[in-house]
Amino acid sequence: MKASRIKGKATIGVCSPSFPISATEPIRYERGIKYLENKGFQVKNGFLYKKNDFYRSGTIKERAAEFNDLLYDENIQIIMTSIGGNNTNSILPYIDYEYIKKHPKIIIGFSDITALLLAIYAKTGLVTFYGPDIASSFGELPPFVDWTFESFNAFVNGISVPYNYEMPIAWTEEFIDWSEQDRAKKQYSNQWVCVKQGTCQGRLIGGNLNTMEGFFGTEYMPTINKGDILFIEDAEKDAYTIERSFSLLKLAGVFDKVNGII
């Protein structure tokens, strides 16, 4: 099941299913909102906007209710998360999956939002979007934010298939404090690394590996099928954490099933 492509500039509803970024990093967050508004989108914040409950934006029930409220709003075509975090898996039992089946929307985020994206896919069959969020993505400065927007805008407006994904020309790992950043980050020429060459095809599925461990083997985790292409990402993890995560995939037989790994 797929959501309808947007027509013109849509309204984006912003939820915070984990970290309270609009309260902790208002400069970065508001810059992301303004960027999308300058591109012609309307943005509606959920009711947890600027709320802060220690390490999260609200209680488990509040965070789920915020997402559901944006889901019920007929004026919203896209639901985008403010940022990731650590506890999106907590809200999975309280999402209105039956409503999503009848009223599919474009739902987009990344990192800890993997839990929400894969749970919705598992429960409804809706294709979700592993893509940008408000703060870390659209709160960035050019040129990286512009490249992000080009890709985002192409996908939500509907791409033609087959689609050739071009390698980005640059990447960065420079950290600049979000409350102080006033310049573009350093660019490094990009080069993809192929560990094992070959050609494959299959259903693309995956997300943040550390997050998947928080609901792996439950009804909210889609089954990894024979022939799938698994994509995984993570950040700021040490070697022993990565080994543990990869060992989980091996013990679960994932590496014996998939056609490829990104």
Side-chain angles (χ1 to χ4, degrees), residues 32-177:
I33 295 292
K34 185 177 180 180
Y35 182 90
L36 288 170
E37 290 177 339
N38 287 339
K39 292 293 185 181
F41 288 89
Q42 296 185 43
V43 181
K44 178 179 179 179
N45 286 299
F47 66 75
L48 291 177
Y49 173 59
K50 291 189 176 181
K51 298 294 179 61
N52 188 340
D53 183 22
F54 189 30
Y55 58 89
R56 57 190 187 177
S57 59
T59 67
I60 294 173
K61 291 284 185 73
E62 285 174 338
R63 286 178 281 146
E66 182 191 46
F67 177 84
N68 288 334
D69 281 355
L70 296 173
L71 191 66
Y72 302 148
D73 190 330
E74 296 181 356
N75 295 316
I76 291 175
Q77 294 80 45
I78 301 171
I79 299 179
M80 182 182 292
T81 55
S82 61
I83 202 169
N86 295 289
N87 302 103
T88 300
N89 64 336
S90 300
I91 74 172
L92 301 185
Y94 309 104
I95 301 301
D96 194 341
Y97 300 105
E98 292 303 314
Y99 188 88
I100 293 174
K101 291 179 183 179
K102 299 175 182 177
H103 307 276
K105 293 185 178 183
I106 293 173
I107 301 171
I108 186 167
F110 76 104
S111 188
D112 190 58
I113 310 306
T114 295
L116 183 63
L117 300 178
L118 289 182
I120 289 172
Y121 176 66
K123 288 290 191 179
T124 71
L126 176 65
V127 174
T128 52
F129 289 75
Y130 200 84
D133 62 27
I134 295 295
S136 54
S137 302
F138 292 117
E140 184 54 58
L141 295 177
F144 288 103
V145 66
D146 296 327
W147 296 336
T148 296
F149 179 79
E150 289 174 7
S151 179
F152 160 76
N153 199 44
F155 273 82
V156 298
N157 279 283
I159 61 170
S160 58
V161 178
Y163 177 80
N164 184 33
Y165 188 84
E166 300 290 343
M167 182 183 73
I169 64 173
W171 65 282
T172 187
E173 64 178 356
E174 183 182 15
F175 174 78
I176 305 176
D177 188 288

Side-chain angles (χ1 to χ4, degrees), residues 141-215:
L141 295 177
F144 288 103
V145 66
D146 296 327
W147 296 336
T148 296
F149 179 79
E150 289 174 7
S151 179
F152 160 76
N153 199 44
F155 273 82
V156 298
N157 279 283
I159 61 170
S160 58
V161 178
Y163 177 80
N164 184 33
Y165 188 84
E166 300 290 343
M167 182 183 73
I169 64 173
W171 65 282
T172 187
E173 64 178 356
E174 183 182 15
F175 174 78
I176 305 176
D177 188 288
W178 281 3
S179 62
E180 300 175 357
Q181 185 180 3
D182 60 358
R183 63 168 177 83
K185 292 181 177 178
K186 296 177 182 178
Q187 297 182 37
Y188 304 94
S189 296
N190 208 5
Q191 182 179 358
W192 281 346
V193 177
C194 183
V195 177
K196 184 177 181 181
Q197 293 185 352
T199 301
C200 68
Q201 62 181 27
R203 177 186 66 162
L204 183 64
I205 191 166
N208 182 273
L209 183 52
N210 189 255
T211 298
M212 284 192 282
E213 293 177 12
F215 62 104

